[in-house]
C-alpha cells in the first residue's frame, strides 16, 4: 500500500470524509486526493454515499468497505495461536458445567490475562501513569491503534482499529480480549461505552470511577 | 510482492534451491535471480546455507525464513472465524467429559465437515473423479495450493502451502482440519504421510486402499 493511500484509509477508518475534508486534513490538493480515491475505489477498498445539501451541488462522503477495513493491520494469526494454545491447556474441570459460549469467554479472558501479564510484569511496583504507558505500548504492538484521553474527569482509551474485526462482527466474545487486557493492564475497572462490532467507528473504554491520567509519561 | 519475487518464494517453498537451480526452473539469467534474492534476503524473507562440494567453489542453497513462509497466502482470519463460531455453538453435553485438546479436535473436525459439506453438496450423486475436482477447488480457494497425483497405484493429494502454518507449528490439532476436509470431501479414507508441521516441505495425504483418479476432469 502506497503511503498516501494508506493514510487516506486510516483517516476514513476514524471518520467518513468528503474529498475536501480529506484534502484539508492531509494538506493535499483536492485533485490529488480524488486521484487516490479513484484508485482505492477501483480496488474495492472505499465507496461513497451522496450527501444532499440545502443549496449547491451534492457532496460525496467516502468510507471504507469491509475489504478496506480488512486491508488495515490485523492480528488474526496471533489471536488464533493464543486461542488454540489456551484451549489445549484446559482440563475437564475447567470447563465443568459450561456451554461453548462460556468456554469461549473464559478462553479470551485467560488469553488477555497472559498478554497483560507479559507487559505489566510486577504491576504493584508501577503507578497508574506508568501502567497506562505500558498498556498503550502493548495495544499498539497488537495493532489496536490506541489513543488515551481525559474527558470530563473520566479517563478513556479509544481503540481506532480492531485487529480481529471480521471475527468480532459475528461474535463479540472476542471483545473480552481487549476489555480484559485493558482492565488487567491498568488494575482499574474500565467499562466499554462504544464498540466497533456494533457499528461505531472506534471502541472506547472509560474508567468506572472519575480519574485523570498524566499522558506525558 | 512483485511477480518474479513471489514466484521465487513459491519455488523455495517447495524445495531449497541454488541460484543456478532457480535460474533453470524459471528461465531467467542467474544475475537476475541473484538480484531478486538479494532483495528478498534484505527483507528477511530468505536466507541460505553453504553447501560444500568435493571440487570447485561451494554453492549456496537458498530457503525461506519463517517470515518468508508467513508472507505467502494465509487464512488465519477464516480459521479463527470458523473456530469461534463452532465453539460458540457447543452445548455442555457436546463437551461432556472432554479436556481442552479433545474439544479442540472435535471443533476442527466439525469445522472441516461444514466446509466439506459446502463444496461437495450431495456427494452421493458424484463419482470419485468429480469429488476430487471439487475438493481441489475448495483447497485452492483456501490457499492450500493442492496437487493431485497417482503414485505407485495410490492416489495422493499434496498440499504445498499451509494457510495456518505458524499455528500448526505449535499445535498440530489444526491439521485435523485439512485431514478431515480431504477424507470427507472424497468419501474415501486418506492417511497423512508427510506434514509441514514436522519440518517436511509439503503435507501429503495418501489413499489407504490402492486407487487411481482420473486427473483430467
Amino acid at each position: 500500500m502506497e503511503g498516501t493511500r494508506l493514510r487516506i484509509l486510516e483517516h476514513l477508518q476514524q471518520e467518513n470524509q468528503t474529498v475536501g475534508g480529506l484534502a484539508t486534513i492531509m494538506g493535499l490538493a483536492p485533485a490529488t486526493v480524488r486521484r487516490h480515491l479513484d484508485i482505492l475505489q477501483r480496488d474495492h477498498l472505499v465507496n461513497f454515499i451522496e450527501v444532499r445539501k440545502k443549496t449547491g451541488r451534492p457532496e460525496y462522503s467516502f468510507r471504507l468497505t469491509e475489504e478496506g477495513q480488512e486491508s488495515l493491520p490485523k492480528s488474526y494469526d496471533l489471536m488464533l495461536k493464543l486461542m488454540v494454545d489456551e484451549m489445549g491447556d484446559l482440563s475437564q474441570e475447567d470447563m465443568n458445567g459450561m456451554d461453548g459460549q462460556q468456554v469461549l469467554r473464559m478462553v479470551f479472558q485467560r488469553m488477555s490475562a497472559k498478554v497483560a501479564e507479559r507487559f505489566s510484569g510486577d504491576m504493584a511496583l508501577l503507578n497508574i501513569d506508568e501502567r497506562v504507558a505500558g498498556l498503550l505500548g502493548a495495544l499498539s504492538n497488537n495493532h489496536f491503534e490506541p489513543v488515551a484521553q481525559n474527558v470530563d474527569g473520566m479517563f478513556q482509551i479509544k481503540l481506532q482499529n480492531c485487529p480481529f474485526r471480521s471475527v468480532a462482527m459475528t461474535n463479540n466474545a472476542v471483545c473480552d480480549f481487549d476489555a480484559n487486557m485493558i482492565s488487567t493492564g491498568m488494575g482499574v475497572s474500565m467499562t466499554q461505552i462504544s464498540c466497533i462490532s456494533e457499528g461505531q467507528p472506534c471502541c472506547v473504554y472509560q474508567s468506572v470511577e472519575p480519574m485523570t491520567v498524566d499522558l506525558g509519561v
Side-chain angles (χ1 to χ4, degrees), chain A:
Chain A
M1 177 67 57
E2 193 254 346
T4 306
R5 286 202 282 282
L6 178 57
R7 280 172 54 219
I8 289 179
L9 294 179
E10 287 169 350
H11 283 297
L12 293 180
Q13 187 181 33
Q14 288 166 48
E15 202 176 351
N16 297 347
Q17 294 284 357
T18 60
V19 172
L22 279 171
T24 306
I25 298 172
M26 300 179 71
L28 293 171
T32 307
V33 169
R34 182 76 227 197
R35 203 173 54 242
H36 285 300
L37 284 171
D38 284 344
I39 295 171
L40 291 169
Q41 201 185 335
R42 180 203 64 194
D43 294 343
H44 309 294
L45 301 178
V46 307
N47 61 24
F48 60 84
I49 49 169
E50 200 177 307
V51 182
R52 293 203 170 275
K53 297 186 299 181
K54 281 189 181 159
T55 57
R57 288 184 299 177
E59 282 194 330
Y60 300 98
S61 177
F62 284 84
R63 54 186 186 176
L64 294 188
T65 61
E66 275 304 313
E67 218 171 312
Q69 292 282 4
E70 286 304 307
S71 73
L72 291 166
K74 295 289 173 287
S75 304
Y76 297 115
D77 56 337
L78 171 78
M79 184 72 131
L80 182 61
K81 214 178 310 182
L82 290 172
M83 189 173 165
V84 169
D85 285 349
E86 206 59 57
M87 278 291 309
D89 284 348
L90 292 179
S91 69
Q92 200 181 320
E93 290 72 41
D94 288 330
M95 298 181 286
N96 196 15
M98 290 186 178
D99 67 13
Q101 285 289 349
Q102 291 168 316
V103 172
L104 262 187
R105 296 213 171 257
M106 176 175 64
V107 164
F108 285 120
Q109 279 173 19
R110 289 187 178 204
M111 283 159 58
S112 52
K114 244 178 222 171
V115 173
E117 223 170 74
R118 226 179 279 160
F119 72 79
S120 63
D122 194 349
M123 219 172 58
L125 300 175
L126 303 176
N127 67 34
I128 184 71
D129 302 342
E130 291 165 334
R131 285 182 210 166
V132 167
L135 174 62
L136 292 177
L139 289 167
S140 281
N141 289 342
N142 288 297
H143 304 301
F144 283 103
E145 290 185 32
V147 176
Q149 53 196 18
N150 295 303
V151 177
D152 297 335
M154 297 300 221
F155 176 65
Q156 292 184 347
I157 290 183
K158 184 162 86 171
L159 307 178
Q160 302 181 117
N161 184 46
C162 175
F164 325 116
R165 181 183 169 91
S166 70
V167 179
M169 298 303 275
T170 61
N171 191 324
N172 69 5
V174 296
C175 300
D176 285 15
F177 181 82
D178 30 305
N180 193 46
M181 185 166 157
I182 288 173
S183 289
T184 309
M186 290 185 55
V188 162
S189 287
M190 300 282 284
T191 183
Q192 187 166 21
I193 59 172
S194 166
C195 184
I196 290 174
S197 81
E198 285 160 12
Q200 285 154 317
C202 298
C203 290
V204 180
Y205 291 88
Q206 181 171 282
S207 57
V208 173
E209 305 286 334
M211 71 179 282
T212 304
V213 171
D214 177 3
L215 302 175
V217 176

